[in-house]
Amino acid sequence: MNSSDSDWQTWRDLFQGRADRPLLPLDADLDYTQLPRSLAHSLAVFQLGESGGGNVVGQARQSRLPGIDEHYAEALDLFVSEEHRHANQLAVCVRMMGGELLRKNWTARLFVFGRRLIGLRFKILVLLAAEVVGLCFYRLVATRLPPCRIRDTLLQLVGDEHSHLQFHCAFLERQAATPFRRTLFKASWRALMFCAGLVVLIDHRRTLRDLSIEFRDFQDFWSHYRFAAEIHVLGLPRMRSTLRNQTNSAALDKTSDAVSIATPDLT
Ligand SMILES: [Fe+2]
Ligand SMILES: [Fe+2]
């Protein structure tokens, strides 16, 4: 995606094109209750997080920020619908695993609080952080599951979240137009990512333990996506970004099972 405003039409068409996908059915003959209970709880937390987000669309429609137009609001509306589809898909997974859906959770409340805190730019920044959280968690969990429809589901979510990450980066790139705003973005993004990482490690520690996901595995994925988002928004010098991508790709290749699933293209 380049930086012209007409690209929002392309994003809208992309989200529109996959809006009618049916939910993936799960294998009726597999006993998903054998999977760790902690995973069912974690997916229920993510299910809750994927359920909200409608307010941001109204705010985008009324916004006078530069770099956005009515197509952006339409694309954002379709993006929110896609997240709701994720919520429905995760609800199926949680039920098949014998877990219970949640009405409230402290990390989901934290996420909603962050989204409502200040203007559209910060809301999108929080949403971008949520994309990194989802990408890391879904992808790491998928590497630890045997071939099954829950794994397929998580990998489909990874593909969607990857385009969401690029969508939000395209918005933030337009907003970070001055040196001051670029510095502000970098500082806010890194602080937010640090806090979000801590929250994930605390809230999902049992799942990470039960699936033998080590801190280093988590850190490799986390750094990978954090830098990818930063590079998308700030466009770091070519040499530096290339070296970072190579370094992070090498780190990802070292994670035992990560090589067995498709790696989203981050360029
Ligand atoms: Fe999602
Ligand atoms: Fe997303």
Side-chain angles (χ1 to χ4, degrees):
M1 289 280 163
N2 60 44
S3 296
S4 82
D5 290 358
S6 63
D7 279 348
W8 298 129
Q9 215 167 335
T10 308
W11 279 109
R12 183 199 62 186
D13 294 345
L14 173 81
F15 293 137
Q16 183 71 66
R18 55 194 202 197
D20 294 328
R21 288 174 298 173
L23 296 182
L24 289 178
L26 299 190
D27 317 84
D29 56 336
L30 286 185
D31 182 7
Y32 288 107
T33 61
Q34 299 297 312
L35 293 171
R37 298 283 298 173
S38 56
L39 177 59
H41 176 75
S42 282
L43 293 184
V45 172
F46 276 86
Q47 193 275 337
L48 195 60
E50 301 264 20
S51 304
N55 292 342
V56 73
V57 178
Q59 192 165 356
R61 286 208 171 97
Q62 294 171 359
S63 174
R64 297 193 178 276
L65 287 179
I68 60 174
D69 55 20
E70 74 275 15
H71 297 307
Y72 175 72
E74 291 170 9
L76 197 63
D77 195 15
L78 289 161
F79 150 78
V80 170
S81 298
E82 193 160 282
E83 296 291 28
H84 291 170
R85 179 182 176 276
H86 291 181
N88 294 337
Q89 186 79 68
L90 288 171
V92 173
C93 295
V94 171
R95 290 199 191 97
M96 288 290 280
M97 294 169 71
E100 291 181 7
L101 297 179
L102 302 175
R103 285 174 172 268
K104 54 186 179 181
N105 168 265
W106 70 279
T107 53
R109 277 206 296 268
L110 207 58
F111 175 51
V112 171
F113 172 75
R115 272 201 328 247
R116 291 178 178 169
L117 206 53
I118 35 181
L120 183 63
R121 291 184 182 120
F122 191 74
K123 281 187 169 73
I124 300 298
L125 191 71
V126 172
L127 286 172
L128 180 61
E131 303 300 347
V132 173
V133 171
L135 273 165
C136 287
F137 191 81
Y138 298 149
R139 201 171 158 201
L140 273 168
V141 169
T143 64
R144 298 304 192 272
L145 294 180
C148 64
R149 291 281 176 81
I150 287 188
R151 192 176 77 162
D152 296 343
T153 296
L154 292 177
L155 291 176
Q156 188 183 70
L157 299 195
V158 167
D160 289 354
E161 308 299 14
H162 179 240
S163 52
H164 296 172
L165 181 141
Q166 291 181 309
F167 175 58
H168 298 323
C169 285
F171 169 86
L172 291 167
E173 180 192 0
R174 288 162 170 78
Q175 302 308 315
T178 64
F180 172 73
R181 286 187 182 167
R182 292 161 67 81
T183 303
L184 187 63
F185 164 79
K186 190 188 280 190
S188 310
W189 175 240
R190 292 187 176 186
L192 189 60
M193 279 286 88
F194 178 77
C195 297
L198 278 181
V199 167
V200 173
L201 287 171
I202 292 169
D203 200 25
H204 300 285
R205 61 191 182 283
R206 292 189 183 86
T207 308
L208 298 175
R209 181 199 62 205
D210 293 346
L211 294 178
S212 302
I213 296 171
E214 295 178 4
F215 173 72
R216 191 190 172 94
D217 301 330
F218 176 82
Q219 191 181 30
D220 285 343
F221 275 70
W222 193 259
S223 302
H224 181 69
Y225 287 116
R226 183 175 73 80
F227 275 125
E230 201 171 297
I231 289 166
H232 269 298
V233 175
L234 299 178
L236 290 176
R238 187 177 182 79
M239 177 69 79
R240 196 173 163 200
S241 65
T242 302
L243 285 173
R244 274 186 173 160
N245 277 335
Q246 286 173 350
T247 304
N248 285 315
S249 295
L252 287 175
D253 287 343
K254 283 182 202 160
T255 59
S256 57
D257 299 318
V259 290
S260 64
I261 62 169
T263 305
D265 176 21
L266 287 171
T267 58

